[in-house]
Amino acid sequence: MMSNSKPEKLWGKDYIIVMIASAGISFCNYFFFSTLPIYAQKISGTVVYAGLMTGVYTLAALATRPFSGNLSDKFGRTKLLILGAFLCTIACTLYNFATIISLLIFIRILHGIGFGIHSTSGGAVAADVIPKSRMAEGIGYFGLYGTIAAAVAPGIALSIIENGEIQKFRNLFILAAVVSFISLIFDCCITYERKNKNALNNEILSPTETESYNENLPKTFLGFTSILGLRFLLL
């Protein structure tokens, strides 16, 4: 006998918002993978620092994930999400002033930290707002933004810098800063944590009920929120 119950709603407001914001930050991430090595060569006059641009960024993002995962569990996903977008916006803006290689490396590390925080917290938010009955489907859709960004963003960035003139890079940096700032605005519009907190404040819960509520939120570990959160919720 077939059930007439309707599936739970997947495309909620917060889910769509975090996907758009994460896509924006991811686009800015891939804007620079193919272009910043060229920029580093331009300002340093050598190819020695070209590979370093990707290395320091990736290491900074990876090193940040364990801390951002723990902090998002402690202080809230949305706060960390906003912080990550803010750091990415600052970094993309500062690229315009990176005329020496040491400053460029510092900004690249800052950008990696921001991306690590945002990507970790974004996965946690997605795991929180996706209905349990559609978790696998929701995580699958959520991961598409990274694939699309990886396929499209490098081509956009290379078309902007054209022949590699410094002013062309300035245009790319401004575009990335604007995209990151838009993502920051979207992140500020995520409301599910505030709604959950208000709901708890309006109800008198026993210590056992409060503990049970907190345990239903997927925890982050070493930044791999989506995978562990999915496994936790499907148990």
Side-chain angles (χ1 to χ4, degrees), residues 34 38 49 87 93 116 140 183 186 224:
S34 55
I38 302 173
Y49 299 103
L87 293 178
T93 303
S183 296
F186 272 102
F224 300 103

Side-chain angles (χ1 to χ4, degrees), residues 13 16 27 40-41 59 74 81 95-97 101 106 114 128 137 151 165 179 189 202 232:
K13 177 182 71 71
I16 295 173
F27 262 80
Q41 183 179 351
L59 288 174
K74 185 175 182 180
L81 199 66
Y95 281 132
N96 285 284
F97 306 99
I101 196 67
F106 171 77
D128 284 351
E137 179 187 4
E165 295 179 2
V179 172
C189 297
N202 291 332
F232 177 84

Side-chain angles (χ1 to χ4, degrees), residues 85-108:
F86 175 76
L87 293 178
C88 288
T89 303
I90 294 298
C92 291
T93 303
L94 291 178
Y95 281 132
N96 285 284
F97 306 99
T99 56
I100 57 175
I101 196 67
S102 57
L103 181 57
L104 181 61
I105 292 173
F106 171 77
I107 298 171
R108 196 65 176 139

Side-chain angles (χ1 to χ4, degrees), residues 132-167:
K132 181 178 178 181
S133 62
R134 305 185 68 177
M135 182 61 64
E137 179 187 4
I139 292 296
Y141 284 130
F142 182 75
L144 286 177
Y145 76 83
T147 303
I148 295 172
V152 176
I156 294 175
L158 289 172
S159 67
I160 291 174
I161 67 170
E162 295 179 352
N163 57 1
E165 295 179 2
I166 294 297
Q167 182 55 45

Side-chain angles (χ1 to χ4, degrees), residues 17 46 48 94 126 137 150 174 177 185:
I17 288 175
T46 176
V48 172
L94 291 178
E137 179 187 4
I174 292 171
I185 294 175

